[in-house]
Amino acid sequence: MPKIPFEPCIPTRGTAVPSGRDWFHEIKHDGYRLIVQRDGKTVRLWTRNGNDWSTRYPGILEAALRHRASRFVLDGEAVLLGVDGIADFNGLHSRKHDEEVQFYAFDILASGGDDLRSLPLHQRRSQLEKMLRRRVDGIILNDIEQGEIGPHLFRAACNMGLEGIVSKHRDRPYRAGRCPHWIKVKNRKSPAMNRPEGMF
């Protein structure tokens, strides 16, 4: 596996959604995990397994270059939305719509030369929200809900035919590799259930 500067945090598979007040919950879009790294005029798009996809998604690349911040590292998902507003993995995998793919950002690992991974999630989230307050087409802030709503959000995601949700402990730092403080619960009826995890 190629070595990349910022290795992603990998959620632990779970069977139940945490419901305590210290958990953030977000929709799991059916896409490709990406690390977006900008350093001045250079942008790199890294897959979970360390592949360089910098030329694959021009919309994400251009969006990163349009941001006011010139140095940052974002963690998120490359997603192709279908006409129903739900992630279309088959369309994404076909490579026929690469120019339409957008990036749903859910974490910030570095900003302005500062490594933020040791900060608790709620502080990183505040910095991410501040950075993405000014919307740039191609990069979208992934919404979160906090606390007891987790199981209800999961049921709603399943009813909409989504892949599931990821729950993250608000007070934990970012940790590369498999992490017990990120818990992914999948919709059992989602096509993603039958797909190998970490394809790229």
Side-chain angles (χ1 to χ4, degrees):
M1 179 184 301
K3 182 73 173 177
I4 60 175
F6 291 85
E7 295 184 51
C9 179
I10 307 301
T12 298
R13 289 284 294 272
T15 56
V17 178
S19 61
R21 62 182 181 179
D22 293 329
W23 291 88
F24 288 168
H25 311 281
E26 59 193 44
I27 294 296
K28 172 66 177 72
H29 297 284
D30 198 359
Y32 292 141
R33 183 76 173 275
L34 277 187
I35 300 289
V36 175
Q37 180 180 15
R38 178 179 174 184
D39 187 0
K41 296 181 180 180
T42 302
V43 176
R44 291 284 183 267
L45 309 181
W46 302 102
T47 72
R48 168 177 163 167
N49 290 339
N51 298 306
D52 186 348
W53 281 8
S54 301
T55 60
R56 180 171 288 207
Y57 302 128
I60 298 176
L61 197 75
E62 292 165 11
L65 288 170
R66 286 199 304 271
H67 259 286
R68 292 175 179 171
S70 62
R71 298 183 69 191
F72 57 80
V73 179
L74 303 179
D75 189 2
E77 200 91 5
V79 177
L80 175 68
L81 294 180
V83 293
D84 56 2
I86 295 176
D88 177 6
F89 183 83
N90 289 334
L92 178 69
H93 189 60
S94 76
R95 297 290 315 277
K96 295 178 180 178
H97 311 280
D98 284 355
E99 69 283 352
E100 300 173 30
V101 174
Q102 304 179 82
F103 182 72
Y104 280 77
F106 51 66
D107 213 328
I108 184 167
L109 312 187
S111 178
D114 294 327
D115 190 333
L116 307 180
R117 289 174 289 184
S118 64
L119 297 178
L121 173 59
H122 67 89
Q123 291 186 23
R124 301 195 313 273
R125 179 73 191 189
S126 293
Q127 294 213 29
L128 179 64
E129 290 174 354
K130 183 178 179 180
M131 176 185 170
L132 298 183
R133 189 174 298 148
R134 176 178 170 268
R135 173 74 181 270
V136 174
D137 289 343
I139 295 181
I140 300 165
L141 178 67
N142 206 37
D143 292 332
I144 63 167
E145 300 288 347
Q146 184 173 357
E148 307 295 336
I149 196 172
H152 302 287
L153 181 65
F154 177 68
R155 285 193 291 272
C158 291
N159 290 336
M160 292 176 65
L162 303 178
E163 182 179 350
I165 70 172
V166 179
S167 301
K168 304 172 181 179
H169 198 286
R170 69 185 303 276
D171 295 325
R172 302 296 182 177
Y174 190 93
R175 190 174 104 181
R178 189 71 60 181
C179 178
H181 305 125
W182 286 23
I183 299 174
K184 176 169 63 177
V185 182
K186 283 191 172 184
N187 174 7
R188 293 185 179 275
K189 296 181 179 180
S190 167
M193 284 294 294
N194 301 316
R195 194 180 306 134
E197 187 176 8
M199 293 171 63
F200 299 96

